[in-house]
Amino acid sequence: MNKKKNNYIKNTVKGPVSIISLNRPDYSNAQNGAMTYQLDDAFRQAMDDDNVKVIILKGEGKHFCAGHDIGTPDRDLDKSYEIKSMWYDHTKKEGGEFYYAREQEIYLGMCRRWRDIPKPTIAMVHGACIAAGLALAWVCDLIIASEDSFYSDPTLKMGLPGIEYFGHPFELNPRIAKEFLFLGEKISAKRAYEMGMLNKVVPLRELEKETMEIANKIAEIPSLALTLTKQSINHIQDLQGHRSGMDATFGYHHFAHTHNDLVQGEYLSGFDAKKLKEKSEDQDKKKS
Ligand code: ZN
């Protein structure tokens, strides 16, 4: 079958700044496997280009990112990609191992790689930043957001204890992290800023200009000093439990997936993925 390759990621370079865009605006930039691997390639390119000093990650269309793809026609859970970590391919595995191997590689492993990219990264967030969208913002060093942006992790409603990249207690005050997860409600950019999750909040029309200005200022600092500073802070966070805590919560997360599967034959609880898939296919047909 000669299927056209989708470009789920756009990558442009402006002076010393690489601008990487999530490019599935019709599905609010929901991350399927293909997008995740393309994003990894784009970060790799930015790494290999000596002229790139700073990386910006943004979303095309109305939103930054609505999370993992849990129901679009291009959802690709069963597809193999060239593995980037030392994990094995998940597609031929059964039961919990299927999800465990897949999520080790693309939801936890890749996010950790991106967090440790040795060049400064800035998430430029507007609109929705939901569930795994949070992981993409959190792995960046700075987050510059528009006033209209909003944040939520509603995964408890799907029977999960939060997303795979469990940064919540580090990104938010622990008590507020519990509120954020228990209620699964949206929080505004203003509140996220007050909690220290965002570096700066600006009107949407100024978001790009403001983010580029900050990126260009950082680009003037000696690169190695930036790299070593980033490594120092990430290392200290790891000593504070960022890495080991996430390993433990990843185990809880997969116990929940397996429990959901045992109880109702679907790894997300209370969630009819098949129905949602049919709905998106219907919408797709109407569009074409
Ligand atoms: Zn999961």
Side-chain angles (χ1 to χ4, degrees):
M1 191 168 63
N2 191 11
K3 205 177 168 199
K4 189 178 147 273
K5 195 181 169 221
N6 288 304
N7 288 321
Y8 293 127
I9 296 293
K10 283 208 288 196
N11 193 358
T12 51
V13 177
K14 278 190 189 165
V17 183
S18 164
I19 304 164
I20 298 175
S21 305
L22 309 171
N23 188 33
R24 282 189 89 194
D26 289 350
Y27 296 106
S28 305
N29 297 320
Q31 304 166 44
N32 59 7
M35 178 194 258
T36 311
Y37 281 90
Q38 286 179 24
L39 178 56
D40 197 75
D41 290 343
F43 281 134
R44 180 74 253 169
Q45 272 173 28
M47 259 332 80
D48 291 341
D49 185 344
D50 265 349
N51 296 319
V52 168
K53 305 290 182 200
V54 180
I55 301 162
I56 291 175
L57 179 64
K58 59 174 272 203
E60 292 294 316
K62 284 188 188 158
H63 302 289
F64 176 70
C65 178
H68 289 144
D69 185 344
I70 50 174
T72 81
D74 290 322
R75 191 180 189 221
D76 53 4
L77 238 61
D78 295 323
K79 221 170 152 186
S80 288
Y81 290 94
E82 191 191 333
I83 308 284
K84 303 284 184 179
S85 67
M86 286 305 285
W87 271 89
Y88 46 78
D89 182 55
H90 67 287
T91 53
K92 304 246 172 353
K93 302 297 175 189
E94 292 185 318
E97 191 178 9
F98 176 95
Y99 299 106
Y100 192 72
R102 180 173 187 269
E103 296 194 355
Q104 279 280 1
E105 153 84 353
I106 75 167
Y107 293 165
L108 183 60
M110 287 223 210
C111 284
R112 281 177 163 167
R113 277 152 61 84
W114 301 335
R115 169 181 176 253
D116 289 334
I117 285 172
K119 294 184 184 183
T121 52
I122 305 176
M124 183 175 115
V125 179
H126 73 297
C129 181
I130 310 283
L134 292 165
L136 293 189
W138 289 345
V139 298
C140 293
D141 299 314
L142 306 186
I143 306 177
I144 314 298
S146 63
E147 288 167 347
D148 75 302
S149 63
F150 57 92
Y151 306 83
S152 79
D153 184 349
T155 50
L156 272 74
K157 291 171 188 159
M158 301 172 199
L160 298 174
I163 56 170
E164 294 78 6
Y165 186 85
F166 198 78
H168 315 64
F170 285 87
E171 300 292 341
L172 306 166
N173 166 299
R175 198 174 306 285
I176 295 174
K178 288 178 190 166
E179 175 198 329
F180 183 68
L181 284 161
F182 290 176
L183 296 176
E185 290 174 352
K186 290 180 195 172
I187 58 166
S188 64
K190 183 174 176 288
R191 190 161 189 225
Y193 175 76
E194 285 166 0
M195 290 186 291
M197 198 180 101
L198 309 176
N199 293 88
K200 196 164 189 177
V201 178
V202 297
L204 180 60
R205 64 180 179 283
E206 290 167 25
L207 181 62
E208 186 133 13
K209 185 175 147 277
E210 194 70 38
T211 311
M212 282 303 287
E213 268 177 28
I214 291 169
N216 280 308
K217 268 191 212 168
I218 295 172
E220 287 172 15
I221 306 294
S223 293
L224 182 61
L226 291 166
T227 300
L228 297 177
T229 303
K230 173 168 181 168
Q231 282 193 306
S232 301
I233 294 175
N234 285 6
H235 178 63
I236 288 166
Q237 269 198 316
D238 287 344
L239 291 175
Q240 291 168 335
H242 192 275
R243 189 175 181 90
S244 54
M246 240 181 238
D247 282 335
T249 54
F250 190 78
Y252 301 144
H253 180 95
H254 277 274
F255 166 67
H257 273 320
T258 305
H259 173 77
N260 294 337
D261 210 1
L262 282 168
V263 170
Q264 63 170 45
E266 170 57 60
Y267 79 121
L268 301 172
S269 164
F271 184 85
D272 192 336
K274 205 172 153 217
K275 251 187 218 157
L276 195 75
K277 190 175 175 215
E278 283 164 7
K279 202 173 135 204
S280 0
E281 278 167 354
D282 274 359
Q283 281 170 352
D284 235 31
K285 269 182 216 152
K286 273 178 204 157
K287 255 189 255 164
S288 58

